[in-house]
């Protein structure tokens, strides 16, 4: 039995680094093992909407990295939020400031999406998507819709026709359907062209809805999209470990303080960064595909974004440990659980 894994530094293509004070707490955790991480733009009080926001957020992140002992070689990849008001000019300026992608949150489906996109097909936003297609920069989509008489567990299903229509209307637009949670989403992404990919989180590979509401309400497993059924989880594990380059890591590590999670109308988001490579190693090993872990964590995402592969490695050893109940102000994913692989620094 293998007791050591040497892995190319990860590319975590979906991270919520937040703003200070959380930024200082959580960024060094991802920087320990990732070479790059995509910084999601749904920050508050200041969201990342323009070139100036991109430059400012990049500086905020760099400032924290500079204060981090052993800052490693971590590079944040910046994004802007695409709203109804986002013009082609805003997009082009943001790319010139270093943004690698635009992220669209449909209105009202997740944390800080109260000014999200209302219409994916308005003439104005179509111009913007066309500009993204022309420059070759990806549109990242939170693929859920909050429709009338639609349960939270069906929000991804009802988004998929929008994805199909977008892919048809913009055949060369790079699209990433983020944090997919259903078998249907896996199948839909598979059937589309090479320009359409999906990220998969570690927690959607572990959880079903039972782990959120089936045994008492477990707020720290609550996230959007909600974890679904067993068949959905099986399909996600199959997709992640299959060696299909359309599926790569985006952890959606989404820290919220304990108080913001353990209350009425608690925030959605799972803080998976402190256990990410460790739990992925466990999942891939159980699936009999440890040999494909690096493709998922460190190759397919880079290829999709046209980035060179990270150069450095990290090492995991087989040694049981218990995930702390709390790290700083946040309860991590799998708090109190025993994991089999440890990250050695
Ligand atoms: C994310 C957050 O907290 O910012 N929450 C979540 O439940 N996943 C936002 C998101 O990616 O949907
Ligand atoms: Zn997210």
């Amino acid at each position: 039995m293998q007791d050591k894994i040497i892995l190319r530094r990860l590319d975590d293509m979906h991270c919520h680094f937040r703003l200070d004070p959380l930024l200082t707490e959580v960024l060094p955790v991802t920087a320990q093992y990732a070479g790059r991480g995509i910084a999601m733009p749904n920050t508050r009080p200041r969201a990342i909407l323009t070139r100036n926001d991109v430059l400012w957020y990049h500086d905020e992140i760099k400032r924290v990295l500079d204060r981090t002992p052993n800052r490693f070689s971590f590079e944040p990849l910046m994004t802007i939020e695409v709203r109804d008001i986002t013009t082609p000019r805003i997009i082009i300026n943001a790319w010139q400031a270093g943004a690698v992608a635009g992220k669209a949150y449909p209105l009202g489906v997740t944390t800080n999406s109260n000014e999200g996109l209302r219409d994916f097909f308005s003439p104005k936003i179509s111009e913007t998507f066309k500009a993204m297609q022309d420059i070759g920069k990806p549109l990242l989509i939170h693929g859920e819709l909050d429709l009338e008489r639609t349960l939270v567990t069906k929000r991804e299903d009802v988004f998929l026709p929008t994805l199909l229509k977008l892919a048809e209307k913009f055949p060369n637009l790079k699209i990433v359907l983020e944090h997919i949670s259903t078998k249907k989403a896996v199948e839909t992404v598979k059937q589309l062209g090479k320009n359409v990919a999906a990220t998969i989180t570690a927690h959607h590979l572990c959880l079903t809805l039972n782990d959120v509401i089936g045994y008492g309400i477990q707020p720290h497993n609550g996230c959007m999209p909600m974890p679904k059924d067993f068949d959905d989880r099986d399909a996600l594990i199959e997709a992640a470990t299959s060696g299909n380059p359309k599926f790569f890591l985006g952890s959606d590590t989404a820290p919220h303080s304990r108080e913001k999670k353990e209350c009425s109308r608690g925030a959605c988001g799972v803080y998976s960064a402190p256990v990410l490579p460790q739990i992925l190693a466990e999942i891939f090993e159980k699936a009999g595909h440890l040999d494909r872990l690096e493709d998922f964590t460190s190759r397919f995402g880079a290829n999709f974004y046209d980035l060179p592969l990270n150069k450095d490695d990290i090492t995991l050893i087989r040694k049981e440990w218990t995930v702390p109940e709390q790290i700083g102000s946040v309860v991590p994913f799998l708090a109190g659980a025993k994991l089999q692989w440890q990250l050695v620094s």
Side-chain angles (χ1 to χ4, degrees):
M1 202 203 260
Q2 184 176 344
D3 57 10
K4 189 170 168 185
I5 302 171
I6 297 179
L7 200 60
R8 191 184 295 278
R9 269 183 172 276
L10 280 59
D11 283 322
D12 188 344
M13 296 311 196
H14 187 137
C15 301
H16 296 274
F17 294 132
R18 313 298 193 204
L19 298 177
D20 264 335
L22 263 186
L23 174 62
T24 300
E25 260 187 52
V26 304
L27 181 69
V29 176
T30 297
Q32 268 182 301
Y33 53 74
R36 292 173 291 228
I38 290 199
M40 285 291 147
N42 66 334
T43 43
R44 290 294 185 277
R46 179 168 173 180
I48 310 309
L49 303 173
T50 64
R51 166 187 190 279
N52 283 348
D53 297 330
V54 168
L55 295 170
W56 169 76
Y57 193 25
H58 187 261
D59 280 356
E60 292 288 296
I61 291 174
K62 281 281 181 198
R63 198 169 43 75
V64 173
L65 283 173
D66 288 342
R67 287 199 310 250
T68 305
N70 290 328
R71 62 184 298 277
F72 310 106
S73 52
F74 183 77
E75 188 194 342
L77 301 175
M78 309 310 295
T79 58
I80 61 162
E81 211 179 304
V82 178
R83 293 186 179 172
D84 297 303
I85 49 155
T86 309
T87 60
R89 175 48 52 199
I90 292 176
I91 292 286
I92 288 159
N93 289 345
W95 305 148
Q96 285 169 351
V100 301
K103 172 75 186 269
Y105 294 93
L107 182 70
V109 290
T110 191
T111 308
N112 301 342
S113 64
N114 49 331
E115 292 172 84
L117 206 56
R118 283 164 198 278
D119 183 358
F120 277 81
F121 300 100
S122 72
K124 270 184 86 175
I125 206 66
S126 298
E127 288 297 308
T128 303
F129 292 162
K130 168 105 181 9
M132 296 175 75
Q133 175 171 258
D134 292 345
I135 330 173
K137 296 288 181 186
L139 171 66
L140 317 183
I141 305 180
H142 183 116
E144 293 192 290
L145 287 180
D146 178 18
L147 301 182
E148 257 181 60
R149 293 185 64 83
T150 301
L151 284 178
V152 64
T153 48
K154 297 287 184 216
R155 284 182 187 164
E156 188 171 274
D157 286 358
V158 298
F159 180 79
L160 294 174
T162 302
L163 175 69
L164 290 170
K165 208 167 141 192
L166 273 176
E168 198 183 342
K169 186 163 178 190
F170 303 100
N172 296 314
L173 176 62
K174 283 187 171 187
I175 300 176
V176 183
L177 190 63
E178 298 283 325
H179 44 54
I180 54 172
S181 66
T182 56
K183 188 174 176 192
K184 259 194 196 164
V186 169
E187 283 163 3
T188 306
V189 168
K190 270 190 194 162
Q191 100 188 33
L192 290 166
K194 274 207 309 232
N195 54 312
V196 181
T199 51
I200 301 181
T201 78
H203 51 279
H204 287 100
L205 297 175
C206 296
L207 305 175
T208 66
L209 191 60
N210 281 359
D211 302 301
V212 188
I213 55 172
Y215 306 99
I217 292 169
Q218 299 186 68
H220 300 287
N221 290 341
C223 58
M224 295 301 174
M226 277 288 161
K228 306 282 185 330
D229 212 333
F230 294 90
D231 285 349
D232 295 304
R233 187 178 62 178
D234 291 348
L236 295 170
I237 294 173
E238 213 286 315
T241 62
S242 66
N244 183 335
K246 279 170 158 283
F247 301 101
F248 51 81
L249 173 65
S251 74
D252 194 16
T253 177
H256 295 275
S257 68
R258 180 170 210 141
E259 298 76 65
K260 290 217 165 114
K261 295 286 286 178
E262 295 179 8
C263 59
S264 164
R265 275 194 168 228
C268 290
V270 169
Y271 181 39
S272 58
V275 298
L276 188 65
Q278 301 91 328
I279 189 68
L280 286 172
E282 217 165 298
I283 295 162
F284 274 68
E285 182 171 45
K286 198 165 156 217
H289 289 304
L290 254 188
D291 55 320
R292 294 183 184 155
L293 178 58
E294 188 172 290
D295 285 343
F296 178 72
T297 60
S298 323
R299 186 167 295 115
F300 294 158
N303 289 348
F304 188 85
Y305 280 87
D306 291 324
L307 296 167
L309 299 186
N310 290 319
K311 289 203 174 61
D312 304 337
D313 294 328
I314 57 160
T315 303
L316 297 166
I317 53 165
R318 191 187 299 279
K319 193 169 173 214
E320 195 178 86
W321 63 294
T322 304
V323 181
E325 294 290 346
Q326 187 160 337
I327 302 177
S329 62
V330 189
V331 175
F333 182 45
L334 300 173
K338 286 191 170 37
L339 298 189
Q340 302 308 311
W341 291 95
Q342 273 192 35
L343 182 66
V344 282
S345 44

